[in-house]
Amino acid sequence: MNWRPMTRAEALAKLRQTLAEGRPIIGAGAGTGLSAKCAEAGGADLIIIYNSGRYRMAGRGSLAGLMPYGDANAIVVEMAAEVLPVVRHTPVLAGVCGTDPFRLMPVFLRQLKEMGFVGVQNFPTVGLIDGVFRQNLEETGMGFDLEIEMIRLAHELDMLTAPYVFDPDQARAMAEAGADIIVPHVGLTTKGMIGARTALTLDEAVERVQAMCDAAKSVNPDVIVLCHGGPIAEPEDVAYVLERTRGVVGFFGASSVERLPTERAMVETMQRFKALRPASA
């Protein structure tokens, strides 16, 4: 078998073709091989694996991926052995912790490319951290600039890059670093058993996503922009955002495409089993 990973150019061509056909680009976070197989079977355009997927599918909140519960980059490498062999024709991206002080990032990125990853995303990301703690991270050499640099290095290695951004300045900086896809992130996904309770409204999300989209496109008009997070949790939420923004052409879902559907399906199936009644003895 002459296996060969998809190239960045091939992945971008597929994404552009999807848009030319009038269809949205949908990225799917996969915490297990089964999630990846199902996402691909359903038509996902991108599959992204990162440490939060493992925690999420273990019943923990996605923010566990930002806590010191494991080596985020090592977890992605482990998960690759489960996911990459079962994905047939969909580009797979690695969530990379760009602030990891124990990785020579150019070496690590080349390793990921050799493993079969088509590209990368910046996760875990300090973009989800605010307040004095975030300020201290920036002051002590563990700030968002390292994530921008990681994306720049990946671009130079001809890897597909799809970073999260959290404000217009970050969107511009990531576009300048060569990002192919910009993903405005508007917070931890709501809904379900372990979703966030504190979030923006959908209208506030629309405003923020549009501001980040405009900033990125001011640098590169051809950059692909997808929305993610907060109240944008269900297909109807995505439709609401896409209808009210300009230049936003899809959605990246993690909890939305594997946790929420799994919770519903398993609960409903168990309820159907429990509704059965045995014949009287």
Side-chain angles (χ1 to χ4, degrees):
M1 177 180 178
N2 295 320
W3 178 83
R4 179 183 68 82
M6 187 181 296
T7 66
R8 169 176 171 265
E10 290 168 340
L12 278 172
K14 286 189 67 173
L15 297 177
R16 299 288 183 195
Q17 181 61 34
T18 295
L19 296 178
E21 294 168 358
R23 295 183 290 129
I25 292 172
I26 305 297
T32 67
L34 180 59
S35 295
K37 288 185 75 168
C38 291
E40 183 171 61
D45 300 291
L46 296 166
I47 292 173
I48 305 92
I49 63 177
Y50 51 90
N51 71 327
S52 271
R54 172 166 291 181
Y55 295 119
R56 181 168 50 247
M57 298 310 284
R60 275 67 176 178
S62 295
L63 287 184
L66 275 69
M67 299 297 287
Y69 304 148
D71 181 336
N73 286 328
I75 288 172
V76 167
V77 170
E78 292 173 10
M79 292 171 69
E82 181 176 342
V83 172
L84 290 175
V86 301
V87 176
R88 302 302 178 196
H89 52 75
T90 307
V92 181
L93 309 186
V96 175
C97 180
T99 58
D100 187 344
F102 300 102
R103 290 287 189 287
L104 292 170
M105 198 52 63
V107 175
F108 183 57
L109 292 173
R110 284 194 291 269
Q111 176 189 355
L112 294 174
K113 187 173 183 179
E114 181 65 24
M115 291 174 65
F117 285 105
V118 177
V120 297
Q121 185 180 58
N122 57 325
F123 195 91
T125 170
V126 299
L128 284 167
I129 301 170
D130 58 14
V132 174
F133 182 40
R134 170 64 179 278
Q135 183 178 345
N136 289 164
L137 287 173
E138 298 287 344
E139 292 168 349
T140 53
M142 291 175 279
F144 195 81
D145 283 351
L146 289 178
E147 298 181 27
I148 297 170
E149 175 65 8
M150 183 273 289
I151 293 297
R152 185 187 67 78
L153 289 170
H155 177 72
E156 291 176 357
L157 289 171
D158 202 31
M159 300 180 80
L160 190 71
T161 50
Y164 282 136
V165 297
F166 300 84
D167 62 43
D169 287 342
Q170 292 176 1
R172 275 187 289 270
M174 284 296 193
E176 289 168 355
D180 300 297
I181 302 165
I182 295 289
V183 187
H185 193 309
V186 292
L188 186 65
T189 301
T190 60
K191 302 181 182 178
M193 295 178 177
I194 53 175
R197 297 292 181 267
T198 303
L200 304 173
T201 66
L202 270 173
D203 287 327
E204 289 170 334
V206 165
E207 184 177 343
R208 292 199 188 184
V209 168
Q210 186 67 66
M212 288 184 262
C213 175
D214 291 345
K217 285 185 175 290
S218 73
V219 175
N220 176 12
D222 295 325
V223 71
I224 295 169
V225 180
L226 313 179
C227 58
H228 172 78
I232 315 172
E234 304 282 1
E236 54 268 26
D237 304 325
V238 178
Y240 188 94
V241 173
L242 296 184
E243 289 166 1
R244 289 163 176 77
T245 52
R246 303 172 312 280
V248 181
V249 295
F251 171 69
F252 167 55
S255 294
S256 297
V257 298
E258 68 169 354
R259 175 177 65 80
L260 293 175
T262 299
E263 288 177 1
R264 281 193 292 263
M266 294 189 71
V267 170
E268 290 170 5
T269 298
M270 180 53 65
Q271 289 172 340
R272 288 168 56 205
F273 276 117
K274 287 297 293 179
L276 301 175
R277 294 293 180 264
S280 18

